[in-house]
Amino acid sequence: VMLRELLQEIAADSQRAGEVIRGIRCLVRKETTEQTLLNLNAIISDTVRLVSSDVLNRESVVTTELDSSVPGVQGTLVQIQQVLLNLIINALDAMETLPPAERRVIVSTRSDKGDVAEVTVRDFGTGLPKDRPDKVFDHFFSTKQKGMGMGLAIVRSIIEAHGGTISGENAPDRGARMVVRLPAARGEM
């Protein structure tokens, strides 16, 4: 019985890995990535609405602090939404062990000199590995027991494909901050 369960788990894992790899292949094939002018504030508002029931189930709160002067960016809507979803879900996961009143995620935007749009996802969870916080972006590195360690590696490849950067840091008091920086769309500066 245990062997059958183990084999089923392995099969499920390999199926998930296959889906991840198919997703990456789509990402690499440029034809599926139609880029348009994106309003990050609108995408963040939509994404927060998308996860609202999950946030409620987790007895957590997601708030936004959106800068109206943040420039538009060229990008693929579904990919940028995927990045935001991933970062918000990770932030919620990082706070599972906290009392509900302390489970807060803050998603903020700001314009850096008008030529860079910056999105920060901040949680109050356990933080990133102290020795090398950027290790969370490595393939197959996970801080979660059931994590595959692909989420943030994929997030980084999406952001880099959009000409941007992502970095992670521990917040001074506690928790982590993920900072995505994307170039302003030409003509948007």
Side-chain angles (χ1 to χ4, degrees), residues 132 134-142 149-150 152-153 156:
R132 231 190 85 210
D134 58 332
K135 193 159 55 183
V136 295
F137 297 105
D138 294 353
H139 294 290
F140 306 116
F141 175 82
S142 183
M150 291 299 283
L152 287 173
R156 183 170 62 184

Side-chain angles (χ1 to χ4, degrees), residues 57-177:
N57 288 339
R58 293 167 178 256
E59 298 179 85
S60 303
V61 176
V62 177
T63 55
T64 57
E65 294 171 4
L66 306 178
D67 177 351
S68 59
S69 72
V70 80
V73 299
Q74 271 306 116
T76 307
L77 173 62
V78 62
Q79 291 182 1
I80 297 300
Q81 203 156 33
Q82 181 65 53
V83 163
L84 287 164
L85 270 171
N86 200 304
L87 295 178
I88 292 169
I89 298 298
N90 281 353
L92 292 168
D93 287 346
M95 300 184 298
E96 273 175 343
T97 56
L98 295 180
E102 295 175 31
R103 296 180 200 157
R104 292 187 308 132
V105 177
I106 303 167
V107 185
S108 56
T109 55
R110 72 182 195 95
S111 169
D112 187 358
K113 297 186 199 70
D115 56 3
V116 171
E118 194 175 275
V119 179
T120 303
V121 178
R122 156 90 159 100
D123 67 57
F124 293 82
T126 47
L128 299 169
K130 299 266 184 291
D131 55 331
R132 231 190 85 210
D134 58 332
K135 193 159 55 183
V136 295
F137 297 105
D138 294 353
H139 294 290
F140 306 116
F141 175 82
S142 183
T143 55
K144 302 177 199 169
Q145 270 188 308
K146 292 196 169 83
M148 266 176 43
M150 291 299 283
L152 287 173
I154 293 169
V155 160
R156 183 170 62 184
S157 60
I158 291 173
I159 294 302
E160 288 175 353
H162 282 78
T165 61
I166 181 168
S167 59
E169 59 188 21
N170 283 311
D173 40 0
R174 76 153 193 248
R177 258 196 304 257

